[in-house]
Amino acid sequence: MTTAAPPVEPASPAGRHKKGETAPLSEGARAERRLGLMLCAPAVIVMAAVTLYPVGYAIYLSLERYDLRFPNASKFVGFANYGTVLSSPIWWQAFLVTFIITIASVAVEFVLGMALAFVMHRAIVGRGLVRTFILIPYGIVTVVAAYGWKYAWTPDTGYLANLLPSGNAPLTHHVSGLAVIILAEIWKTTPFMALLLLAGMALVPEELLRAARVDGATAWQRFTKIMLPLMKPAILVALLFRTLDAFRVFDNIYVLTSGANNTRSVSILGYDNLFTALNLGVGSAVSILLFITVAILAFLFIKIFGAAAPGQEVD
Amino acid sequence: MFAAAAAAAVPVLAACGSSGGGSGRTATLNWYMFPDGSGSFATAAANCSKASNGAYTIKINVLPNDADTQRQQMVRRLAAKDSSLDILGLDVTWEAEFSEAGWILPFTGARRTAVENGTLPAAIKAAVWRNQLVAAPLNTNTQLLWYRKDLVPEPPTTWSQMVADATRLAKEGKPHYIEVQGAEYEGYTVLFNTLVASAGGSILNASSTSAQLGEPAVKAIQAIQQLAQSPAADPSWSNQHEDDNRLAFESGNAAFELNYPFIYPSALQNNPSLAKKIGWTQYPSLVAGQPSHVTIGGNDLAVSAYSKHPNQAFDAITCLRGSANQTTYAIKGGLPPTLTALYTDPALIKGGYPFAGAIYTALQNGVARPQTPAYQSVSLQISYNLSPPTSVSVGKLNTLKSRINDALNSKGLVP
């Protein structure tokens, strides 16, 4: 998709010269391309229907005063809803909380995930068993796991809360509540990170590592100078996926604290404004701002990792 | 689109012939109702279906446990003009919102008179929006002051007295906490509403167009501060819901509790020896010599605007809130009735409602929550801006006022 497609129509000689190296397509190649486009079309149409339309509708709603409770007062308000959101301390609080959760959970997951990937990669006995065990948390439904954590950290019902001095209810305070949310996120998605990193690790040629060893490279040098650079595409994918996921965190918070004590993420804020306050205009503005933030994050990742990004030509 | 147009047309047609029940076809009415462990709703639905002689069959669709998700489920369906909803079980805080959005049909003419006859005026008032009766009161609820007769021989009548009594008990080393809702949720809004009303004011102006607050709100804040700064405040006050208060009172550390009557049957079951010492009286007042004005809760029944069988649904509601059924809900399910006559009915009083008289008095002086379609947002702003109760100050009222005005105009983010 990302390789630029030359125009299908036979280009004029002048145009062809401007394009430089692009050679004119043969009759057969053109027919093949047409077939390819036709084969893609149904999927593209379905994708457009289920993603483009809702995204477009959300953008439209975010420019309206649209509140289900006051259907007669609906009108176009331009960017007023965005002004409301961006000037509200509640939004910035939620943004900060989301940022903290993202940075903390992705950083810890990366380190732990790398360690687990090593374990899975190097396991000599019971490799299948080891991999299965490591993947169990990822296989549990997030909401189910979140309820497990919730009860565990609630005094009287939970074994973890009972380890704390009595009278401590970690889910009812800002800092400890956030810590529990981050812990639940890490527990849940480290296996996913490990799996993606394992895929990258499998691509590192064993001979290269042995050769470096013969040349006297230490284990740390072999890791930083050989493995990490070769794993760069896998690391990018793993960090990108997890950062975008973590930034949209919803279910763990919804179950654990439902956003009380300033633990609400941007997604929870959007949900509250859309489904509890029924204010589709302001709620959609929150959603669109979340969408833009995620797009910027993805863009930055690709920029920072440059050529290692998937789909980029590596010369 | 066609279905929506058809559904919208039906109520108009049906309204023309209100006696057209003899079509011979049994209508299935979907009743969306909150869960009820006692099974009294199911019994009532079966009895009413049978009594209708084939006019309708009521099918109960159980909603989720908590009020927020109940509302969300109905709102999502109604916003999509779902015609499979007929009878809706509404919390008293949703009437204005559902009516303003055009999701429920008003009770008019003879139907309105029939609902109003013999029903508590305060419960009717909560079901009226823009001079229309938009729902029929099913059950009501209100708070009383529950106290320990062994610790407090003469119950206090004012808030200051209550705090003073508790402070004295604290000095004597006896159980002394005052159990009251203080977590950041709607129950805390209810406390604020009760205090403001008891101080002679209201949160919104008469036309629900802007925040009123003023001097009574200052008094309400001072009452909260007075409790917060005394030894009578439970250390976990800022995290307590109704049920936390019940548990704390049952554990024996408290002398007072401001709560709904459900705590009494619960105490009888969990701590019978303590239950014998529980006394009840009116909620303490803020102005000496004046009664308190306690927030009225409860649930109503309404007919969906997209129902295909609105006539049968109205008839079914009449049956479901009938005297016999309300007695069952009260005795089996603990829901205080909305029919005035039942409060002097010996069957109810002996059946587990010895405090029926006190509740009746409280309901007579009761006050509705702020009536506005934006109630949810207003409530979120109140509980957010005045939390935690331990650090509340009069200075926060200005911010609160502008946030409430934003909420009324659906401006601003809700927390």
Side-chain angles (χ1 to χ4, degrees):
Chain A
M1 287 295 279
T2 39
T3 44
V8 178
E9 285 84 14
S12 69
R16 212 182 319 169
H17 281 298
K18 264 186 208 155
K19 290 270 169 199
E21 301 98 294
T22 348
L25 287 170
S26 69
E27 191 60 39
R30 242 180 290 156
E32 221 165 73
R33 175 154 291 165
R34 235 188 339 265
L35 179 68
L37 286 176
M38 273 158 64
L39 288 174
C40 285
V44 170
I45 291 167
V46 170
M47 284 289 283
V50 299
T51 61
L52 273 187
Y53 169 72
V55 170
Y57 190 54
I59 294 174
Y60 160 76
L61 283 177
S62 73
L63 301 174
E64 288 255 307
R65 179 199 195 284
Y66 196 118
D67 190 320
L68 282 181
R69 297 165 303 189
F70 305 99
N72 299 328
S74 301
K75 62 169 191 279
F76 183 80
V77 292
F79 288 93
N81 289 333
Y82 290 93
T84 302
V85 175
L86 292 175
S87 63
S88 165
I90 299 167
W91 157 265
W92 293 109
Q93 168 75 33
F95 197 82
L96 181 70
V97 162
T98 315
F99 224 83
I100 292 170
I101 294 175
T102 307
I103 303 269
S105 64
V106 174
V108 176
E109 278 166 27
F110 181 67
V111 175
L112 284 181
M114 190 63 93
L116 287 181
F118 260 111
V119 171
M120 291 197 274
H121 193 55
R122 296 284 177 221
I124 299 163
V125 283
R127 186 177 273 208
L129 203 65
V130 168
R131 291 187 179 186
T132 311
F133 264 116
I134 289 176
L135 285 176
I136 284 176
Y138 192 62
I140 296 176
V141 179
T142 313
V143 173
V144 175
Y147 269 107
W149 285 111
K150 182 180 177 169
Y151 289 125
W153 286 112
T154 302
D156 301 331
T157 58
Y159 61 101
L160 290 173
N162 290 343
L163 298 177
L164 301 169
S166 79
N168 264 308
L171 288 171
T172 60
H173 300 283
H174 176 63
V175 174
S176 50
L178 273 185
V180 172
I181 290 166
I182 291 171
L183 182 72
E185 277 286 299
I186 291 171
W187 179 83
K188 168 82 196 159
T189 40
T190 299
F192 176 69
M193 183 74 99
L195 204 62
L196 291 177
L197 293 176
L198 177 67
M201 220 171 255
L203 290 175
V204 179
E206 201 60 25
E207 311 84 75
L208 214 54
L209 293 171
R210 277 199 217 115
R213 201 175 198 166
V214 170
D215 290 343
T218 62
W220 181 249
Q221 282 173 327
R222 272 177 276 142
F223 176 66
T224 52
K225 304 276 183 203
I226 298 173
M227 293 191 74
L228 280 187
L230 285 172
M231 285 172 70
K232 214 172 156 190
I235 292 173
L236 172 75
V237 170
L239 288 183
L240 181 65
F241 277 23
R242 272 306 301 148
T243 307
L244 300 191
D245 251 10
F247 209 80
R248 293 178 290 127
V249 58
F250 180 84
D251 21 20
N252 262 324
I253 302 180
Y254 183 78
V255 173
L256 285 168
T257 65
S258 20
N261 301 305
N262 284 329
T263 53
R264 55 180 74 77
S265 69
V266 175
S267 298
I268 294 273
L269 186 66
Y271 178 85
D272 281 348
N273 278 279
L274 283 168
F275 294 104
T276 305
L278 307 180
N279 196 338
L280 302 190
V282 168
S284 298
V286 172
S287 306
I288 297 298
L289 287 170
L290 175 61
F291 177 76
I292 292 171
T293 315
V294 166
I296 292 174
L297 280 176
F299 178 77
L300 287 180
F301 260 95
I302 305 282
K303 275 281 158 211
I304 293 166
F305 280 82
Q312 298 282 322
E313 303 279 354
V314 184
D315 293 316
Chain B
M1 204 138 46
F2 171 76
V10 167
V12 181
L13 294 176
C16 301
S18 57
S19 59
S23 60
R25 286 240 317 270
T26 304
T28 302
L29 300 175
N30 285 300
W31 181 18
Y32 278 76
M33 198 56 185
F34 57 86
D36 149 61
S38 72
S40 56
F41 292 150
T43 315
N47 290 342
C48 289
S49 302
K50 205 185 281 173
S52 78
N53 287 324
Y56 56 79
T57 319
I58 303 170
K59 184 170 167 271
I60 295 187
N61 296 265
V62 181
L63 290 167
N65 269 317
D66 66 298
D68 276 347
T69 37
Q70 289 163 16
R71 172 172 159 274
Q72 276 169 20
Q73 185 176 132
M74 289 195 282
V75 163
R76 283 185 197 181
R77 286 167 175 271
L78 292 166
K81 303 183 171 32
D82 185 344
S83 65
S84 72
L85 289 81
D86 299 292
I87 304 170
L88 313 175
L90 303 181
D91 191 282
V92 288
T93 58
W94 306 336
E95 277 73 12
E97 175 179 278
F98 278 51
S99 169
E100 191 74 11
W103 294 329
I104 51 179
L105 299 175
F107 289 69
T108 52
R111 280 200 181 111
R112 178 171 183 163
T113 323
V115 172
E116 285 175 346
N117 262 344
T119 304
L120 291 163
I124 291 288
K125 195 168 171 278
V128 170
W129 177 244
R130 292 192 191 278
N131 296 321
Q132 285 191 305
L133 182 72
V134 297
L138 181 72
N139 70 273
T140 182
N141 224 337
T142 194
Q143 296 193 337
L144 293 177
L145 170 61
W146 309 87
Y147 65 98
R148 287 270 298 271
K149 286 189 282 191
D150 56 328
L151 300 170
V152 196
E154 189 64 34
T157 54
T158 66
W159 186 271
S160 303
Q161 270 174 26
M162 176 177 73
V163 176
D165 283 352
T167 310
R168 181 179 48 76
L169 287 168
K171 281 193 191 125
E172 293 168 9
K174 291 181 180 161
H176 56 273
Y177 290 147
I178 296 172
E179 292 300 325
V180 56
Q181 299 79 52
E184 188 188 325
Y185 80 122
E186 208 254 344
Y188 187 50
T189 301
V190 167
L191 170 70
F192 185 64
N193 189 52
T194 298
L195 293 177
V196 173
S198 299
S202 72
I203 293 175
L204 301 184
N205 65 3
S207 54
S208 293
T209 46
S210 74
Q212 178 115 345
L213 299 175
E215 195 52 36
V218 173
K219 278 193 187 149
I221 298 280
Q222 283 163 348
I224 294 175
Q225 282 176 320
Q226 192 184 5
L227 175 54
Q229 288 156 8
S230 79
D234 189 308
S236 49
W237 185 19
S238 64
N239 202 32
Q240 284 183 310
H241 294 228
E242 287 91 351
D243 214 46
D244 305 307
N245 295 135
R246 172 186 69 80
L247 281 169
F249 193 79
E250 279 174 14
S251 73
N253 293 326
F256 300 100
E257 179 177 16
L258 293 164
N259 213 336
Y260 296 96
F262 80 102
I263 66 119
Y264 189 73
S266 167
L268 277 177
Q269 199 174 356
N270 299 335
N271 194 344
S273 64
L274 183 103
K276 284 192 208 111
K277 300 175 196 156
I278 298 182
W280 53 83
T281 185
Q282 295 303 307
Y283 203 99
S285 68
L286 251 61
V287 184
Q290 295 277 320
S292 54
H293 300 288
V294 188
T295 310
I296 291 181
N299 296 277
D300 295 350
L301 294 179
V303 177
S304 162
Y306 307 107
S307 165
K308 286 176 183 150
H309 315 286
N311 283 320
Q312 289 93 326
F314 278 117
D315 292 344
I317 287 178
T318 308
C319 173
L320 289 172
R321 63 183 298 275
S323 167
N325 284 329
Q326 287 209 22
T327 309
T328 319
Y329 306 147
I331 293 172
K332 278 176 77 184
L335 303 172
T338 52
L339 296 173
T340 315
L342 290 179
Y343 282 91
T344 48
D345 185 354
L348 184 78
I349 295 166
K350 290 201 181 111
Y353 261 75
F355 36 78
I359 292 182
Y360 186 65
T361 311
L363 289 170
Q364 303 260 289
N365 296 318
V367 62
R369 288 168 166 92
Q371 276 183 297
T372 160
Y375 176 74
Q376 297 288 327
S377 317
V378 171
S379 168
L380 283 168
Q381 293 292 1
I382 292 171
S383 57
Y384 178 79
N385 282 293
L386 299 183
S387 282
T390 40
S391 66
V392 77
S393 68
V394 174
K396 291 193 176 171
L397 282 174
N398 280 332
T399 319
L400 178 63
K401 194 165 189 173
S402 70
R403 293 285 175 276
I404 290 178
N405 287 334
D406 280 354
L408 291 173
N409 295 307
S410 61
K411 276 188 202 147
L413 278 173
V414 299

